[in-house]
Amino acid sequence: MNWCVTDEELKSIVDRMANAEKVSLLTGSGLWHTSSNLRLNVPSILMTDGTYGVRYSVDQIEGESDELESIEQFMAVVNQKADRDIDGDFESTRPATCFPNGSAFACSWDVDLAYTLGAALAVECQAFGVNLLLGPGINIRRTPLAGRSYEYYSEDPVISGDIAAATINGLQDGGIGASLKHFACNNSEILRTSMSSDVDERALREIYLRGFERAIAKSNPWTIMSSYNRLNGVHAAENEWLLTTVLREEWGYEGLVISDWNGIKSSVAALNAGNDLDMPERTARRRQIANALEDGTIAREVADRACLRILKLVRKLKSSEQHSISVDFQAHHHLARQMAAESIVLLKNRNQLLPIKRDARIAIVGDAAKLPVMQGSGSATTKPTIVDNPYEEIRKHAASAMITFHPFDGTDPKLAAVQHRMALEAASETDVIIVFASTEQGYDGEGSDRKNLHLHRGQDALIADLAGVHPNVIVVVASPDAIEMPWESEVAAVLATFFAGQGVGEAVAQILFGHRNPSGKLTVTFPRRLQDTPAFLFYPGENGHHLYGEGIYVGYRYYDKREIEPLFPFGFGLSYTTFSYSNLLIDEASITDSSQCCVAFSVTNTGGMLGKEVCQLYVRPEGGRIQRPVRELKAFTKVELQPGETKRVEFDIDAKDLRCFDTSLGEWVLDKGALYFEIAASSRDIRLTQRVDCEPTYRSTFFTIDSQPGLLLADPIARRKLTAFFLDVLSLDQKTVDKLLAFCQSSFLGIYNSISWFSGDLIAEAALQAVLDDINAANEVSQSEQLAKPNVRGQPARA
């Protein structure tokens, strides 16, 4: 149905709606539809979960159910386990391509591939009749324990925002709406609907909201999903500062805000705050809105505005339907394989053991070799169309090798002891041992965090013992996020697949035998132990509050600031070839608040195999007024190179992306000092560096007579005007004034009390305040002049 209605006609529909009809539209229909209106010819739309695979439950979507049955169905969705048996609990779910989950796929660092993912998902949605796909999720992976971290991309907002934007563009260009989620600070599953994420404003702005802001600017998702948790004491769906002040007024977002399922506590507060659509349908919440419309607690214009946003979304989605489309699931399976292969991270390769020789004697250990761990548990869980068996794919790629298989599960301690002993006994008969390992399956996921960073029961000990008797142990590990590796120094090679979807078996085999060069790099830091993680002292919170006490020092920012050596750093990943960097050029010697610079360099494949390198640009500040991380990611790109080939890479960097948030002003500022632009292969592998000076945002603060002299005199305008004032009022020469300023600079008292020590009663408080008023006014003018300068937004990297 192509619902062709004009904006004026949509407004007329809202005007003609009775309150009961508005309530119906604002609260959805069943689990997965918006409400239709036959009288006014308003159609409904269908939405469902799964940014890594379309989860179409026939019973829930096509069947009829009362409210109790809907609640039971919803709980079944939330508690869905990623059973490795593809028939398992998926009986009423249509098969769809299970692509790599977010924590896996982001390791590709490939925005073009992210767009392709979005386009493929759009095709499957169109074929199923789904209009709106509820994702992607880009919550920051603050702690590796978080149950839903497998859905999310990174500990860094830049890669999170860019991968999300590309995925959204692929979806929406294919006529399927996206729902960027979970807004905001849904970083743990512990008491997730009541826990307050208590985050200071700077950390909010620079870390937890930055990815959303970046994705919205680059893709304009048609919907945003508010999160379950409270944010600084206020439920996210009812948080006017978040949903209206920041999202709409500051960022200019004009789309629809939708609640997470049953995430609204007060429908009245949520609608007034800017949460337009309450999902799913619930009688009690409908009653709340109906009563509020009657007594005026919800103003008519608030309800009408939300209704109009819903109708505009319905129009957009209905006009984008393609009923005749069909899916080539085999082609999508090949895409799932490609994505997995691009995302797998080679973490260790001692003595270039990999690629494996085709005639090697190989022992494969672990049940995951035949039943791959490929996805996480919860609403994002997908029934795959087909699953590549790693063991069988290895046999195909190593036809001449002698391969044996040795099961190990670990669930039953007695059986595990027998399997452990048999694997050790087989070690002497092989050239290479490949252990397929994983974290515990089924406990963590949506609704439950991990308890530790260990592998599933018995696997850490098995790997350590195998490495103790054999020099060539390769570990292929599947996990939702970072893990501890107490055996890392003993094994020869490590491949991290995360949850790499239905094509993981073929992708692993290709990499193990060198038919594809690994090119994935980590999007989180791997700690040596859980106690080293930034949130360790504050997780999981208490008394309903979870303090984000590490502030802006999340992920690699924390490890760098504390000078802690991680197990594997952010941005790290090995290749079968090598790369060199050269000829760094920056077209600006200094940066102002309104400028843009081009950062260009060359990258060369210096090895003997076709490969892809993820080039990363970090910026390291020096000499600023505001505390900053050691370095921060600002741009990245993935470059494919033939052996010996060199390509020129360019990043256009906007000064707005170099600013930090000054909480004293409530503004983004370009701090003083220097910025070192670093071209890197990882956050701990800096290859090229060049300094650029900063001309800061001059309005550094609003000064009063109690302002500390050191802060005041660090401001160029303030220093100049105070110098002129002292020369005039005190009749001093320049040398004496310089001594006075130096004396004041070290004082811990306010500026007036510090000057009074020197001048006595010669300077009245009112006279000094007049000078400070002049300084503040001059800074305001300087700020306005800078903001009025032309500002060209940065473009994507060019290679």
Side-chain angles (χ1 to χ4, degrees), residues 27-193:
T27 54
S29 175
L31 267 179
W32 305 110
H33 292 85
T34 59
S35 295
S36 61
N37 187 316
L38 297 179
R39 184 179 75 87
L40 297 172
N41 194 34
V42 176
S44 69
I45 58 170
L46 170 63
M47 59 197 82
T48 193
D49 284 311
T51 321
Y52 315 110
V54 183
R55 191 181 52 74
Y56 190 102
S57 171
V58 177
D59 290 347
Q60 294 174 14
I61 292 173
E62 299 178 8
E64 294 184 6
S65 59
D66 58 26
E67 189 159 309
L68 178 59
E69 289 173 327
S70 290
I71 293 173
E72 292 173 348
Q73 289 173 346
F74 167 69
M75 294 307 298
V77 169
V78 171
N79 296 322
Q80 175 71 63
K81 300 305 179 185
D83 197 325
R84 286 181 283 176
D85 176 359
I86 65 172
D87 293 320
D89 295 326
F90 291 111
E91 187 173 339
S92 68
T93 303
R94 290 185 182 178
T97 310
C98 179
F99 294 103
N101 292 179
S103 65
F105 171 58
C107 292
S108 71
W109 295 67
D110 192 328
V111 292
D112 293 332
L113 200 54
Y115 182 92
T116 303
L117 167 64
L121 289 167
V123 170
E124 296 194 20
C125 283
Q126 292 282 9
F128 290 154
V130 172
N131 304 108
L132 176 65
L133 197 61
L134 300 173
I138 62 166
N139 294 94
I140 292 296
R141 285 156 66 188
R142 172 178 174 254
T143 170
L145 294 174
R148 298 185 77 171
S149 62
Y150 75 90
E151 295 184 46
Y152 306 141
Y153 297 134
S154 178
E155 65 190 24
D156 184 87
V158 169
I159 184 171
S160 296
D162 287 4
I163 293 290
T167 304
I168 291 166
N169 284 329
L171 271 168
Q172 296 185 166
D173 286 352
I176 300 300
S179 193
L180 186 64
K181 63 184 185 181
H182 304 89
F183 194 59
C185 296
N186 188 174
N187 305 104
S188 169
E189 296 300 287
I190 305 295
L191 301 176
R192 61 176 175 158
T193 63

Side-chain angles (χ1 to χ4, degrees), residues 271-288:
L271 195 56
N272 282 328
N275 196 111
D276 304 301
L277 178 59
D278 179 354
M279 289 295 294
E281 175 189 0
R282 285 292 175 268
T283 301
R285 296 202 298 269
R286 281 191 169 187
R287 188 181 303 115
Q288 288 179 14

Side-chain angles (χ1 to χ4, degrees), residues 452-605:
N452 54 57
L453 300 185
H454 305 158
L455 294 177
H456 190 36
R457 186 182 303 166
Q459 293 183 11
D460 285 312
L462 173 64
I463 293 169
D465 287 350
L466 286 171
V469 299
H470 201 292
N472 295 331
V473 174
I474 301 164
V475 181
V476 180
V477 60
S479 64
D481 205 305
I483 60 169
E484 294 175 357
M485 297 184 186
W487 34 261
E488 180 272 334
S489 63
E490 304 301 320
V491 301
V494 181
L495 280 176
T497 66
F498 297 93
F499 292 161
Q502 67 183 53
V504 64
E506 170 66 11
V508 166
Q510 288 179 0
I511 289 173
L512 287 175
F513 291 95
H515 300 149
R516 185 182 287 265
N517 197 341
S519 61
K521 294 200 176 188
L522 294 178
T523 59
V524 292
T525 305
F526 272 46
R528 293 191 176 276
R529 55 184 195 143
L530 177 61
Q531 290 86 341
D532 291 340
T533 57
F536 179 74
L537 293 176
F538 310 102
Y539 173 89
E542 58 188 2
N543 299 321
H545 289 268
H546 189 162
L547 176 65
Y548 287 38
E550 70 278 11
I552 61 171
Y553 297 103
V554 177
Y556 66 90
R557 293 167 170 83
Y558 174 85
Y559 292 90
D560 288 349
K561 198 72 171 181
R562 294 288 309 277
E563 297 183 350
I564 296 173
E565 188 66 28
L567 182 62
F568 298 109
F570 175 84
F572 174 80
L574 299 174
S575 171
Y576 294 153
T577 189
T578 55
F579 302 95
S580 67
Y581 294 75
S582 61
N583 300 324
L584 172 60
L585 292 175
I586 303 176
D587 65 353
E588 297 287 345
S590 64
I591 299 274
T592 68
D593 199 47
S594 59
S595 63
Q596 181 192 56
C597 67
C598 177
V599 180
F601 59 94
S602 297
V603 58
T604 301
N605 183 343

Side-chain angles (χ1 to χ4, degrees), residues 719-791:
R719 177 177 281 274
R720 185 171 68 251
K721 288 186 176 291
L722 282 173
T723 298
F725 175 70
F726 294 146
L727 287 170
D728 178 43
V729 174
L730 298 179
S731 301
L732 300 175
D733 56 32
Q734 184 65 55
K735 184 176 181 180
T736 306
V737 168
D738 289 342
K739 289 182 179 180
L740 171 59
L741 295 179
F743 169 79
C744 291
Q745 186 101 26
S746 61
S747 173
F748 63 89
L749 301 176
I751 184 65
Y752 179 71
N753 286 334
S754 299
I755 291 171
S756 295
W757 276 0
F758 184 90
S759 65
D761 296 330
L762 293 177
I763 296 179
E765 184 175 316
L768 180 59
Q769 184 61 60
V771 177
L772 296 175
D773 291 342
D774 184 41
I775 291 169
N776 289 328
N779 271 328
E780 289 283 358
V781 171
S782 175
Q783 178 87 350
S784 299
E785 289 175 347
Q786 288 191 38
L787 293 176
K789 293 179 181 179
N791 187 28

